[in-house]
Each structure stands twice: as structure tokens, then as C-alpha cells.
Amino acid sequence: MKTYRTRIFRIDENNLEEAIAEAAAIIKEGGTVAFPTETVYGLGADALNPEAVKAIFQAKGRPADNPLIVHVSSKEQCESLVKNISDKAVLLMNIFWPGPLTLIMERKQVVPDITTGGLDTVALRMPDNKVAMELIKCSGKAIAAPSANRSGKPSPTTAEHVISDLDGRIDVVIDGGPVIVGVESTVIDMTTEPPAILRPGMVSQQDIENEIGSVDIGYDDKVHPDNKEVRSPGMKYTHYSPDANVILVEGNNENVTKKISQMFSDFQMRGAKIGLLLTEESAKHFVSKEIFSLGRKDKPEETASSLFFGLRYMDEKKVDVILVDGSFSHLGVGAAVSNRIRKAAEMIIKV
Ligand code: TXA
Ligand code: MG
């Protein structure tokens, strides 16, 4: 693996243009640039340059069959990459772009195999973030960008997370501060009828069905290691895993609090270092050094924006086990949060 001298561009109002211009030049030359989006940080490169895209796979240690999302800044750019855009796809793009919705469509041949993991489809999205949009526009390139973490780790929600995973492995990190949403975009496959949601995100099933009628659910909350039939290659691989063991406790807030409190005592007696990811409502019942708040239980946006941060925080604290309070609302983006934490969990206890 080639080593890089990774440069960090910290963005403020005064240097935005200059920093973007420099980063865009690096994209044009085939380099790798991590940048903020509204969902999580992405690791970007020119989507139509196979060598540049290869550098993304190498930096992340990503399996070659796991395709990348291509980021665009206009509908024209989108049209240059896919064969046809269905009426339903047009509706969704009009409503949700720029925003956290990724559409899978049939690719044109200009999109190289390495970007799509050899598939005949390509995933496209227009991010709702000024830095990301300016970078795409200024480079004049469609930018392939998976989440900017080492493969298997929780997605980065700050530039510090990116640096801790990828320093020395990429050309640039643009630090635009913490992201807004905190979980990755909703992915929908538009090549089937009805279309199928392959990954839940901020744009919910209900939001989508309000626009285009009923859709299929093509995902579940498990990892499928040996299954060649999954609809999205990403479903085969472990995701979101901190170093510590994650135990998720699901149920109503009162029962979850009781169960976690019992488990906390048991683990403590055995000398384990315990991290607690708790809703505000549960947190007040605990006295412990390693507590991280998932926000109020009825505010899934708060849980979304704190989950990956919390998992990484617990790894920094070198805890052995993370007990997660799963009593947060599973409505809206809560469905996406629940999907991510279930996939990260070694054990799920329902009370
Ligand atoms: O919010 C996001 O989507 C972030 C930001 C950076 O835009 N990106 C992101 O990318 O989460 P990544 O690579 O971590 O996740 C992309 C997911 C993977 O599970 C991949 O398998 C799936 O989308 N995917 C990409 N192209 C696909 C395709 N053509 N068919 C099926 N699944 C696809
Ligand atoms: Mg990812």
C-alpha cells in the first residue's frame, strides 16, 4: 500500500473557495479527497477514472465487489451516467435532491466496472452540503464516494474520525465540521417494479411512498456473509463495528433501563470496562464515567446524529463492552438507526 502525506483543509467562510479549488484539482488529477456530506463523511475520487477509484478501495480496504455511490451536482450529470431515468425516479429526484436519497439505475458504459463492482447498475446521489456540491462542480467530475471509514468501522461523522481511520492513506481531508444527519443515505433500487429500498436512511419508506406509491423492502437487519443472492453487495459485509462488543437491549424505556442496570452490575463484578449508550431518559438512572447520550428517546434525529459518534467514543475509551439502550423511537430515521445498531450488535436482547 502506497503511503500518503495526508493534508487537512479546515474550512471557514474565508478560505472556502480556495480550499475547494485545491481539492478539486486533486480530484481532477486522480487523487482521493475526504469531504463532508449531510449524512456522513465520504471518501471521494473521479468516478470515471478507474485508477482513482482503485485508490478508494485500497485506502478503505474495501472488498472489490462492493460498489460505490456516485455523487452528482446536476440532473444533466446524472443523465450522462445512466441509460434511462424512469418517471418515478424523476419524481424522487425532484422532491429529495439534493438530499440523503441514493437511486440505483442502469449504468451507461462510461461508468467503469470498478466503480459499480462489476454490476450493470450505478448508485447516484446529489448531496445536500455546500462543500460537497462545490467540490463536484469545481472539479467538473462525478465523484465516487463511499463513507470515509476503514471497511467494517462505523461511518465517520467528523473529520477527526476520518483522520483516525485514513491518515496516511489518502491525499486530503476537508474538515467542514460535524455532519447533520449522522447515518448514511437511503438507497433505493429503481430498476425493479415496484422499486425496492435496499438501505433505510433519513428519507423514510413513508416519505417515498407518499411520492411514488408502494415500494418493496429489500433489506433486513442481518449480515449475510456467504449469500451471493443479496440485492446489494454491501449486505454481505460486517459494518459499523467498534472494537468493543455491542449488546443492544430493546423494549420500552422502563424495562430497558432495568435490564441494562442489571447487566451493568454483572459486568462490573466480572471486572469488565463498560460503556453505556443511553437515551436521555435512561441516562438519569446511571452513575458511570463512560456514558454517551443518544438524545431524547422520541427524537430519532438526535439518536441518528449521535450513534456512530458514540460507538467511536467508546472505542477511544477502550471499553470491553457497550450496552446500548434500544428504547429510542424507530419511526422515521429511527428505522435507519435501529438497522445500523442491530447490524453492529453481537447480541440483541428484547425485554
Ligand atoms: O450517505 C451516504 O450514502 C454516504 C455518503 C458519503 O454519500 N455514502 C455511503 O456509501 O454510505 P457506502 O459505499 O458506504 O455505501 C453504499 C451502499 C453499499 O452498501 C453498496 O453495496 C450499495 O450502497 N450500492 C452501491 N451501488 C450499488 C448498486 N449498483 N447496486 C446495489 N447496491 C449498491
Ligand atoms: Mg459505508
Side-chain angles (χ1 to χ4, degrees):
M1 161 89 208
K2 180 181 157 191
T3 52
Y4 294 74
R5 197 179 61 82
T6 305
R7 289 190 292 157
I8 300 164
F9 297 172
R10 292 190 209 285
I11 294 282
D12 58 47
E13 290 121 53
N14 303 318
N15 70 356
L16 180 71
E17 258 177 59
E18 201 184 322
I20 296 284
E22 209 168 329
I26 289 165
I27 294 278
K28 280 198 236 177
E29 287 160 13
T32 43
V33 175
F35 59 93
T37 78
E38 78 280 37
T39 56
V40 299
Y41 271 73
L43 175 57
D46 177 354
L48 304 189
N49 175 344
E51 283 303 313
V53 173
K54 192 170 160 199
I56 295 181
F57 280 90
Q58 285 176 335
K60 282 181 61 90
R62 184 178 177 101
D65 70 346
N66 196 2
L68 308 182
I69 294 176
V70 176
H71 296 66
V72 295
S73 62
S74 70
K75 296 219 177 91
E76 294 70 43
Q77 200 173 25
C78 176
E79 281 159 11
S80 72
L81 302 171
V82 296
K83 280 193 179 146
N84 81 349
I85 305 180
S86 68
D87 294 345
K88 286 184 180 179
V90 171
L91 277 174
L92 293 179
M93 283 154 59
N94 284 340
I95 299 285
F96 297 108
W97 279 12
L101 180 68
T102 296
L103 276 64
I104 294 175
M105 293 178 272
E106 243 186 292
R107 72 159 163 175
K108 281 187 176 158
Q109 284 309 313
V110 286
V111 185
D113 276 345
I114 186 167
T115 304
T116 69
L119 298 174
D120 282 325
T121 54
V122 62
L124 296 184
R125 124 171 163 87
M126 189 186 288
D128 187 11
N129 175 287
K130 190 172 173 191
V131 172
M133 285 294 266
E134 291 302 318
L135 183 64
I136 303 166
K137 283 184 200 159
C138 190
S139 66
K141 306 287 185 191
I143 297 186
S147 49
N149 50 282
R150 289 290 281 270
S151 240
K153 292 287 156 209
S155 293
T157 58
T158 65
E160 287 72 30
H161 295 163
V162 179
I163 294 161
S164 110
D165 276 18
L166 298 177
D167 189 26
R169 305 178 75 90
I170 62 177
D171 290 305
V172 170
V173 180
I174 305 181
D175 183 352
V179 300
I180 305 284
V181 176
V183 294
E184 309 86 344
S185 62
T186 307
V187 176
I188 184 163
D189 182 356
M190 301 305 294
T191 67
T192 60
E193 188 43 51
I197 298 180
L198 303 187
R199 182 173 74 183
M202 184 78 178
V203 176
S204 69
Q205 178 185 0
Q206 194 59 57
D207 295 335
I208 291 171
E209 292 189 333
N210 288 345
E211 305 305 327
I212 62 167
S214 75
V215 294
D216 280 345
I217 296 299
Y219 69 87
D220 62 23
D221 298 331
K222 298 192 179 74
V223 180
H224 299 270
D226 301 315
N227 191 343
K228 300 221 170 5
E229 303 302 314
V230 289
R231 296 185 66 163
S232 176
M235 293 170 185
K236 286 190 292 193
Y237 301 108
T238 312
H239 278 92
Y240 324 118
S241 298
D243 299 331
N245 278 338
V246 175
I247 302 179
L248 171 65
V249 185
E250 293 185 330
N252 72 40
N253 188 255
E254 195 183 335
N255 291 345
V256 168
T257 306
K258 263 192 220 146
K259 183 71 187 174
I260 290 186
S261 149
Q262 202 182 64
M263 293 173 73
F264 184 78
S265 312
D266 291 349
F267 275 114
Q268 224 172 13
M269 253 170 3
R270 285 190 260 155
K273 187 163 179 191
I274 310 148
L276 299 174
L277 289 192
L278 301 176
T279 59
E280 291 283 317
E281 288 79 0
S282 306
K284 53 179 185 264
H285 301 289
F286 290 85
V287 185
S288 160
K289 273 211 303 236
E290 309 313 351
I291 296 185
F292 190 88
S293 172
L294 292 176
R296 291 164 288 180
K297 70 180 170 63
D298 295 324
K299 301 279 178 216
E301 308 78 32
E302 294 181 3
T303 317
S305 71
S306 48
L307 178 71
F308 289 149
F309 198 104
L311 291 174
R312 281 179 177 266
Y313 172 84
M314 291 305 171
D315 270 354
E316 275 166 34
K317 298 289 170 193
K318 305 230 176 310
V319 305
D320 305 304
V321 53
I322 307 174
L323 304 178
V324 184
D325 165 6
S327 71
F328 57 84
S329 164
H330 289 195
L331 297 175
V333 72
V337 181
S338 138
N339 167 261
R340 304 303 192 273
I341 191 65
R342 282 180 181 168
K343 284 191 174 198
E346 264 81 19
M347 196 197 286
I348 302 174
I349 299 171
K350 300 194 195 261
V351 289

